[in-house]
């Protein structure tokens, strides 16, 4: 039995939905926004900032070096905000995996937990058109096309993953299974993952 399932996903592929339903089926704790809240509690950073910076951006932001001047004592010990959040997030994920069976969405959890043999690493993807329709249905229209929104979000996830893991995001060899949620369907994805977890 796999105690921990990590879900990596393309934006708009329903990875979050699949992860949540899988956790409910298995009776596992579900960590997505909850993980963000735990990191916020440990750092004092705003949850919305953590959600954006902690998974989507390895680059510098206007806040990257607040409290991080080299040689000056401070909470971040000379690290950028992104690197500081990575360290905290890394430790929180390790702690959660030790505490109880859980499903963890995103946050490079597949890489962080790579040395454990009780983890199932999953990547959820879908064709551009299916994902574009889904994000418009869930989040509405914006001044950018749905395709542009998808490309930008996935590029940021790809860059973040590469920066912190040295691996290529979405490449099948980095996961135990990859599923096309549009071809397989959300419910069937959950069925398959539940079977593998058990």
């Amino acid at each position: 039995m796999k105690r921990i399932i990590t879900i990596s996903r393309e934006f708009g592929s329903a990875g979050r939905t699949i992860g949540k339903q899988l956790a409910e089926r298995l009776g596992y704790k579900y960590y997505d926004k909850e993980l963000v809240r735990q990191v916020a509690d440990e750092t004092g950073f705003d949850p919305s900032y953590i959600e954006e910076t902690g998974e989507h951006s390895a680059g510098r932001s206007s806040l990257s070096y607040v409290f991080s001047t080299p040689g000056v004592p401070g909470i971040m010990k000379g690290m950028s905000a992104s690197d500081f959040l990575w360290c905290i997030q890394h430790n929180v994920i390790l702690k959660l995996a030790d505490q109880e069976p859980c499903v963890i969405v995103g946050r490079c959890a597949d890489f962080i937990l790579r040395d454990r043999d009780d983890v199932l690493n999953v990547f959820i993807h879908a064709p551009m058109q299916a994902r574009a329709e889904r994000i418009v249905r869930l989040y509405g229209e914006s001044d950018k096309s749905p395709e542009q929104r998808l490309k930008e979000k996935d590029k940021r996830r790809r860059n973040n993953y590469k920066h912190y893991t040295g691996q290529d995001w979405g490449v099948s060899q980095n996961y135990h299974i990859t599923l096309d949620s549009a071809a397989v369907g959300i419910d069937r994805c959950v069925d398959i993952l539940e079977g593998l977890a058990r």
Side-chain angles (χ1 to χ4, degrees):
M1 179 122 183
K2 298 297 184 184
R3 288 184 67 257
I4 302 123
I5 296 97
T6 71
I7 307 278
S8 301
R9 75 283 184 224
E10 291 180 323
F11 183 44
S13 66
R16 203 173 250 169
T17 300
I18 290 165
K20 189 159 198 158
Q21 290 182 15
L22 179 62
E24 288 170 1
R25 289 242 201 122
L26 293 169
Y28 285 11
K29 188 77 175 169
Y30 173 75
Y31 290 105
D32 181 12
K33 304 283 188 192
E34 296 80 1
L35 177 58
V36 170
R37 279 194 288 277
Q38 290 209 22
V39 173
D41 289 345
E42 293 209 17
T43 63
F45 285 4
D46 184 88
S48 62
Y49 177 74
I50 293 167
E51 187 162 8
E52 193 63 18
T53 304
E55 185 178 43
H56 302 152
S57 177
R60 293 173 173 87
S61 75
S62 59
L63 296 176
S64 286
Y65 293 99
V66 174
F67 308 118
S68 66
T69 305
V72 176
I75 188 172
M76 294 181 3
K77 299 180 177 33
M79 290 185 280
S80 71
S82 295
D83 290 347
F84 178 69
L85 285 176
W86 163 259
C87 290
I88 299 298
Q89 197 167 264
H90 182 278
N91 292 338
V92 167
I93 287 169
L94 290 174
K95 184 170 66 175
L96 294 174
D98 283 338
Q99 283 177 353
E100 60 191 337
C102 57
V103 174
I104 303 173
V105 176
R107 313 280 155 188
C108 301
D110 59 294
F111 179 81
I112 292 167
L113 301 173
R114 68 194 178 281
D115 294 328
R116 297 181 64 117
D117 59 8
D118 59 349
V119 177
L120 177 66
N121 295 319
V122 179
F123 189 83
I124 305 294
H125 58 96
M128 178 74 76
Q129 185 59 39
R131 295 190 296 128
E133 290 170 5
R134 182 174 175 82
I135 67 165
V136 169
R137 189 170 64 251
L138 291 178
Y139 309 118
E141 299 279 357
S142 82
D143 55 339
K144 296 179 182 175
S145 72
E147 292 78 12
Q148 187 62 32
R149 291 159 66 190
L150 292 168
K151 286 177 186 174
E152 288 177 3
K153 191 94 159 182
D154 285 346
K155 181 180 179 182
R156 293 166 75 187
R157 287 180 177 170
R158 185 175 296 108
N159 290 344
N160 184 72
Y161 191 83
K162 183 73 170 181
H163 179 78
Y164 287 111
T165 71
Q167 298 182 349
D168 293 324
W169 178 79
V171 173
S172 61
Q173 289 85 351
N174 294 335
Y175 310 94
H176 296 116
I177 186 170
T178 66
L179 293 170
D180 181 334
S181 59
V184 177
I186 291 173
D187 290 342
R188 185 67 182 130
C189 284
V190 176
D191 291 342
I192 291 167
L193 296 175
E194 180 185 13
L196 290 172
R198 292 190 189 281

